[in-house]
Structure formats: structure tokens, C-alpha cells
Amino acid sequence: MNAHSAPTARLDVQSIKKDFPILDRRVRDDKPLVYLDSAATSQKPLQVLDAERDFYLRHNAAAHRGAHQLAEEATEAYESARQSVAAFLGAQESDIVFTRNATEAINLVAYALSNASATRPGGAPLTLGPGDEILVTEMEHHANLVPWQQLAERTGATLRWATITTEGRLDEASFDRALGERTKLVAVTHQSNVLGTINPVASLASRAHAAGALVLVDAAQSVAHQALDVTELGADFLVFSAHKMLGPNGIGALWGRQELLAEMPPFITGGSMIETVRMDRTTFLPPPQRFEAGVPLAPQAVGLAAAITYLSDLGMTAVEAHEAELTRLTLEGLAGLKGISVVGPVTTEDRGATVSFTVDGIHPHDVGQVLDDQGVAVRTGHHCARPICDRYSIPASTRASFYVYNTPEDVTALIAGIESAQRFFA
Ligand code: PLP
């Protein structure tokens, strides 16, 4: 048990909120801020800010670059953060690669595959060529779509995708139809950043493996919101960003299966990732260093480790239960209004606390503006997952997303704000 959770594993949100001074902000003519945009980026608790500041104040040096005491301390802090990430995911620390964010982690895999394809064609399972296929879904964030389109272009492989149902679920029959012996890689989101849908990734991964494909899971929207164990998921790669999980900007991670990382050529090259360098050739360090060129992101890694400690102290089961309750209240509140269409599942089953919707007769940007006037911060637009708009023939949607510091009163403020938008545009 910890300071913020009761024995019933409920979060003590009033006490949590004290760790986030930004939530005391007043905005737009002195309205209290209601922050419902954590799917874009979460707020950061003092514990994370303090950890990063303490690193800069007392230990700052280039990790893995020097033998003086500060460099040793920086290296130790950086590697200890790697251990925290590994423990949080049920992984081995040697299989955790620090990246700038989830986007870079996905690009790392995509470029490693195309580099492997260019330098050792036919070297399965890491190479692709004409006739091979990459399978994604229609609900991917652009970060888990565009790199695969580009990889297909570079290698001559074909990109295929599984569709989504009217209810906002993955159409598993279309996934199974698209999957076949030509499929070399399946890239799928664990939780949609628009629909809130949680995909059955363990089952998808085992079907993909049976077909001989590698599996990458985009956990950018799930790792912060549910207990997650990479061995249970059964994927080959998993990616996420720290800034969506109470951590700092500028760091994320790739988890990869050891035997695959060991075979993968580097993506970004330079210092810190080499074994020996001569004027005409270079050999590379083993993973994870092979994929971490440049001075390591030690302060950010320390901040990420502090975020993991914070979440672990809350307990991910309690985090999940808290968000499920807020989702239930939001879906109920929206169902009580006229003219609302939820873009995504309307039950709490297998869905996270990200709720997108449209309001009849009002453009999503206008809904967002009325909410903003009342201090309620939501996101409007295509949320970097444009094909979902095409799927449902909508120009955009309004998205409310919740986290550990949100309360039922925040849901009430959202619903009241939508009602005033409806009155304003009536
Ligand atoms: N994948 C999903 C599902 C996301 O929601 C996001 C960001 O919103 C990303 C990937 C990319 O994350 P980042 O911009 O931190 O790299």
C-alpha cells in the first residue's frame, strides 16, 4: 500500500492531485483547469520533476562516456532506469532500448528491417522483399502506419490492413483473411488512441506467429493504463513513450526479443554504439547499446524511472479500475445527451479511458472551443489516426482522455460543457 491508495485499491485522487501543481491552474477567464487530454500527453508529478532536477543538480555527466565519478553516477542512474523499465514490463534489462519516443522506436525497427533487407537479402525473419507483406490495422496511429508504408516502399513489400467494425472493434475476421504465409510482420496497436479499443494482442500475436510473422505492439496508449507483461503478450517488439505515462518528454523505449535484437543492424549510427572504428569500417556493440547512438538520455531515463515508481506505488490494477469507472461515467453521461455519437465502443469492456465523439450539427473543433472556454481541455481533430475518420466518414472528432488525476467531477464538467455547446449552436 502507498500514500495514494486505500486497502480497497481505490486511488486517493485528491492526494494524487497535490503532486500535480499544474492542475491548480486557472485558465480562460479564471476557470479551473479540467485536463482531459492525457492521451496526447500526461501531466508530470513533482516526484518525476524532482528526480530529473536532482540528476542535473548532483550527478549530471555523459553516461557511458568517462571514468570520473560523475560519469560513473550518471551511467549507474541510466542503467538503473533500464532495470526499472524492464521490471515494469516483465522483461530482461538487456532487451530494453531507450529511444526518443514510441515513434522513434517504431522507426528503429522499420529501418533495421530495411537495412537488413538491403545488406543481407533473404536473411529471414528480418528481411523483406517483393511478395512479402506487412499487416497493420485501420486504427493505427500514424506513427504505426507511415513507417510501414515507407518500409514497404523501400523493400517492395506490400502493406495490407485489417479493418474495423461499426462498433469500433478490430474486425478479427478481416485480420485472419489478411494474414498468411506472405505476412512477415504484423504491427498493431494495443489500445487505440481514438476509439479507446483494447485489442486482443496476445491472441493476434499467436495467430501471427503461427503464420510465421513477427509482431510489433504499439503500447503507447496501454503501458500507462494497465498492468502489462511482455512475456504474456507474446509479441516480438513493443514500444512506448514516457510522456504519456507521467514521465518526461524526450524518452521512450523499444522492448525486443533478445535473439531478434542481436541480429538486427543499427538504425542510427555514431558514438556510444560502436565496438571498434577504423577509417574504412566499424563494428557495433551488442544490444541495447547498438541502438542507442549519441550521448545517452540519462536525465530523461531517471525521470521515466521515477514515473514508473509513482505508477507502481499506485498499483496498475487500481489505476485501471479508476479509469474504468471514469469511462463508465463518461459513456453514461454521453448516452444521456441527444445527438452524440461515440466513435468507438460504447461499453467499458476491453476499452480504455479515451472517449471520442461527435455532436450532431456542430463541428468537433467548435465543441472543443466551447469546452476550452469553460476550462475543459480536450483534443479535437483526427488525432494522428486519419484513416479512422475516413472509416466513419467524419471530418474529425472531439476526444476526452482520462488519467489517475481525473475525478467524476471532471466528467460532469465535460458533459455540462457539451450541453452548453449544444445550446450555443442550437
Ligand atoms: N502510438 C499511439 C497509439 C499514440 O497514441 C501515439 C501518440 O499519440 C504514438 C504512437 C506516438 O507517440 P509519440 O508521439 O510519443 O512518439
Side-chain angles (χ1 to χ4, degrees), residues 9-202:
R10 290 176 75 88
L11 298 187
D12 177 354
V13 181
Q14 290 317 320
S15 135
I16 290 173
K17 283 181 88 160
K18 295 195 182 106
D19 296 330
F20 296 82
I22 198 169
L23 299 175
D24 289 335
R25 277 283 314 271
R26 305 199 62 99
V27 293
R28 305 284 183 223
D29 294 332
D30 210 30
K31 310 274 185 349
L33 170 67
V34 176
Y35 187 74
L36 301 183
D37 199 16
S38 295
T41 198
S42 71
Q43 298 302 344
K44 290 69 176 96
L46 289 168
Q47 289 84 339
V48 166
L49 307 180
D50 288 347
E52 207 170 336
R53 181 177 153 86
D54 181 68
F55 178 90
Y56 281 122
L57 284 178
R58 289 155 39 80
H59 310 289
N60 187 39
H64 286 299
R65 298 257 177 112
H68 58 78
Q69 183 170 338
L70 290 188
E72 274 177 24
E73 288 172 11
T75 304
E76 201 181 303
Y78 182 62
E79 291 306 325
S80 150
R82 197 189 306 278
Q83 282 170 8
S84 301
V85 174
F88 194 60
L89 300 179
Q92 303 283 329
E93 59 188 274
S94 54
D95 306 343
I96 302 294
V97 177
F98 284 122
T99 60
R100 212 158 46 85
N101 48 28
T103 302
E104 189 178 88
I106 295 168
N107 275 278
L108 190 165
V109 176
Y111 275 94
L113 295 186
S114 63
N115 290 345
S117 307
T119 53
R120 38 179 133 117
L126 291 170
T127 59
L128 291 95
D132 292 335
E133 293 179 356
I134 304 165
L135 175 57
V136 296
T137 81
E138 214 177 0
M139 68 170 84
E140 299 310 316
H141 187 282
H142 297 161
N144 199 30
L145 171 59
V146 183
W148 306 122
Q149 293 174 340
Q150 294 291 301
L151 176 63
E153 249 180 53
R154 287 194 300 275
T155 58
T158 303
L159 183 80
R160 303 195 63 184
W161 53 92
T163 54
I164 41 186
T165 65
T166 313
E167 296 75 35
R169 302 275 178 199
L170 178 68
D171 182 340
E172 293 193 46
S174 93
F175 178 87
D176 288 334
R177 276 195 305 276
L179 183 69
E181 59 184 21
R182 290 169 184 267
T183 317
K184 291 290 174 287
L185 180 92
V186 171
V188 62
T189 190
H190 196 181
Q191 179 178 317
S192 161
N193 66 308
V194 178
L195 309 167
T197 307
I198 296 175
N199 285 318
V201 285

Side-chain angles (χ1 to χ4, degrees), residues 246-269:
L246 310 179
N249 282 38
I251 191 159
L254 163 71
W255 165 83
R257 257 184 218 290
Q258 204 157 58
E259 61 276 20
L260 295 171
L261 291 179
E263 288 301 313
M264 275 161 55
F267 161 38
I268 293 175
T269 53

